[in-house]
Amino acid sequence: MTPDTAKARINDLSRQVEHHNRRYYLDAEPEIPDRAYDELHRELVDLEKAFPQFLSAHSPTQRVGSSPLEGFETVTHLQLMMSLDNTYSEEEISTFYNRLLKNLEIKKLPVIIEPKIDGVAVSVVYRDGVLERAATRGDGRSGDDITQNIRTIESLPLRLPPDAPQNFEVRGEVYMPHEGFATMNARRVNDGEPPFANPRNATAGTLKQLDPQAAANRPLDLIFHGVGWLGDGMTLESQNAFYELLDQAGLRKGDYIWKVDDLDGVLGAIRELDKKRHDLPYETDGAVMKVNDRALQESLGATSKAPRWAIAFKYQAEQAETRVLSIEIQVGRTGALTPVANLEPVHVSGTTVSRATLHNEGEVKRKDVREGDVVIIEKAGEIIPAVVEVKYDQRKGTEKPFEMPTTCPTCDTAVERDPEQVAVLCPNPKCPDKVKRKLRHYAARGAMDIQGLGSASVDQLVEAQLATHISDLYHLDASKLGGLERMGSKSIKNLLSGVEVSKQQPAWRMLFGLGIRHVGSTSSQILLDHFGSMEAIMKASFEDLEAVDDVGAIVARSLQDFFQAPDSAEELERLRAVGLPFAPNKAAEDASARPTSDSLEGTTCVITGTLSQPRDYFAQLIKQHGGKVTGSVSAKTSFLLAGEKAGSKMTKAEKLGVSVLNEEDFLAKLAD
Ligand code: IVH
């Protein structure tokens, strides 16, 4: 065979295999028997082997990458990935719908109802018709590049049909089907590995695998539900038009989609879906209602975390009957003692449940939950399983009433009662459980994301009394850590460098990491966006704090209580002293004071390596000069701004022929 014929045949075979993949995975209507498909696939593999010069990364034979990654790159989303607000009753959803009618001053409003899939949100970008990138939601602004793992999902085309739009970003939900989940868990148990608690955890765990082969061995699938960025000047008039785009592109959409024009239609669809959803091959925890018209969506806008044109309706949680084996006390980050029931394991909502929260002493007393009781537990999606009912008539008489301990089960300090909040608290600031939870939260991924400081290391530090405050982390050194078991020189190095690097984290991560009650990651971001620095937040009055959009009195009060407590004031001072970001970011201020221009109009830039200022500084400069910043290098990247120790992005840029600028070149380019 001549190279030319081989090239044409490879192209033809790829298109055929892609077509049959669509017929099989998407339409569930295969046109040819499996054997015939296998033959086409085999011929393609053989030809690609014989003519490796024609092997494309987008060939349907190339789903599983060959080499494990060292870590996931962070990529900035082309558009913010938002979440949804929830409703739990028909009344709430009716209020929401009627408010939309009122705000839009219309009588009828066509909306879409579709299943809410209990999976992991992803963004998928196609450029020039090929799958360019897939990323997790992360904090909504940026997430992990999980392209390698997403490519292993067979229903997802690596290359789009030529007549479909070729440049766009869509959002969807990755999930593990019930059946695949059960098989996989059975295999894990068989292999002596711990089973996953539920399909969503299994999905999240799989997406975090660095080895694409591991991901390929697990049965993931993907359904799309929303649009992100649209290229080539493409517009979509409605959510319905988005489904047409999915159809053209050969991407999967939800199995049931209703378009209804009024409230009766909405409630009808939600009820119908509740009947049907249990037959779907994946876990659903609700229905999503979306305004169909995209122009109306736009005019409704969004809050800081969710669109105002869509809402989730959560179905009633599933219940199951089981027995309380024992009641145990957990000490939380704030010192609150929480009774937790250890249960005879029971299956509910696709999960095996063996623990349920009893919330607090009052709850246990009110329900009179006792060790040995038969109880009804309830579980809904994310929510921790809870005991909702006790079967008193099944008591044998041997069950003992619950008594809250008078001393902390961890440190033996006499507990205190907070009369208003029904909470029983361990007042000891050095209580090891409390400290462990506080430090774990601070180091966690969503907060300071300290590499090398996982829960096990935190526990060790606390047990060895090397840390009782967050600030202690910044005074660790190799000699202190050297005495710890299972802590080799490599782990020590990782931990110390992770702690050091964390000083460069944006201030909102630190604020969130402090674990102040009611101050979540979204409020932390909003607060820092608003006040500009941690110092300014600490100085703000209650009124100033409360006046910030989406913050409110509860958060404002909690912040003030925290800042005014003598213990935290001292700790904040220590954190400031070790170099954490309290002062306004001088670099960012300088950057925003610079003049703007359009010298970078139309360029897409990526920043990597260590530069003289935080990356945010340069990102801001690029934006002020009309450019766009993305997280990963592709053929579309205009240039890579690279500092010292630039790694894989540099290699990729060089491979793709993307120009690489150092800081000096970059500043010169700005001045042009
Ligand atoms: S629409 C702007 N539709 O649920 C956000 N989301 O709890 C629009 N989800 O972050 C999201 N199924 O990841 C939408 N049919 C569906 C969904 C869905 C699951 C996820 C999504 C979202 C989360 C919010």
Side-chain angles (χ1 to χ4, degrees), residues 86-88 116-119 198-201 277-278 283-286 313-320 347-351 353 355-357 359 376-388:
N86 290 322
T87 55
Y88 298 91
K116 182 168 188 318
I117 300 154
D118 194 12
N198 57 47
R200 182 159 36 75
N201 287 1
R277 70 194 181 101
H278 298 290
E283 198 72 28
T284 53
D285 59 348
F313 174 89
K314 293 290 202 99
Y315 290 112
Q316 271 258 291
E318 277 181 49
Q319 300 191 331
H347 203 70
V348 47
S349 295
T351 315
V353 173
R355 284 160 79 79
T357 175
H359 301 291
I376 304 291
I377 60 152
E378 190 176 275
K379 185 176 173 299
E382 306 255 335
I383 298 158
I384 307 163
V387 170
V388 290

Side-chain angles (χ1 to χ4, degrees), residues 111-154:
V111 292
I112 300 289
I113 306 287
E114 63 175 21
K116 182 168 188 318
I117 300 154
D118 194 12
V120 176
V122 285
S123 136
V124 175
V125 179
Y126 283 91
R127 273 197 218 262
D128 297 333
V130 298
L131 173 65
E132 180 186 70
R133 186 182 95 186
T136 58
R137 193 171 94 88
D139 61 10
R141 299 182 190 200
S142 56
D144 284 341
D145 185 334
I146 48 159
T147 314
Q148 273 227 83
N149 289 341
I150 289 294
R151 283 174 70 97
T152 65
I153 298 178
E154 311 238 28

Side-chain angles (χ1 to χ4, degrees), residues 82-84 114-117 121 173 225 288 290 307:
M82 294 215 269
S83 182
L84 285 173
E114 63 175 21
K116 182 168 188 318
I117 300 154
E173 215 69 9
H225 51 58
V288 182
K290 302 171 183 177

Side-chain angles (χ1 to χ4, degrees), residues 40 149 161 164 207 231 238 305 325 354 366 508 512 533 584 597 643 666:
L40 289 173
N149 289 341
L207 292 178
S238 61
K305 87 175 231 301
L325 300 174
S354 52
R366 193 175 60 75
W508 71 261
F512 174 53
S533 73
S597 81
F666 166 74

Side-chain angles (χ1 to χ4, degrees), residues 587 590-591 594 600 605-619 621-622 625 639-646 650 659-672:
D590 289 353
R594 276 188 176 243
L600 296 180
C605 324
V606 178
I607 309 174
T608 190
T610 315
L611 296 148
S612 69
Q613 305 282 1
R615 286 190 199 165
D616 265 4
Y617 170 87
F618 291 97
L621 278 183
I622 292 171
H625 291 80
F639 65 82
L640 175 72
L641 166 57
E644 276 172 36
K645 295 194 215 116
M650 179 86 132
S659 71
V660 178
L661 303 183
N662 64 21
E663 201 172 318
E664 210 176 314
D665 299 340
F666 166 74
L667 293 172
K669 190 178 172 80
L670 274 194
D672 271 353

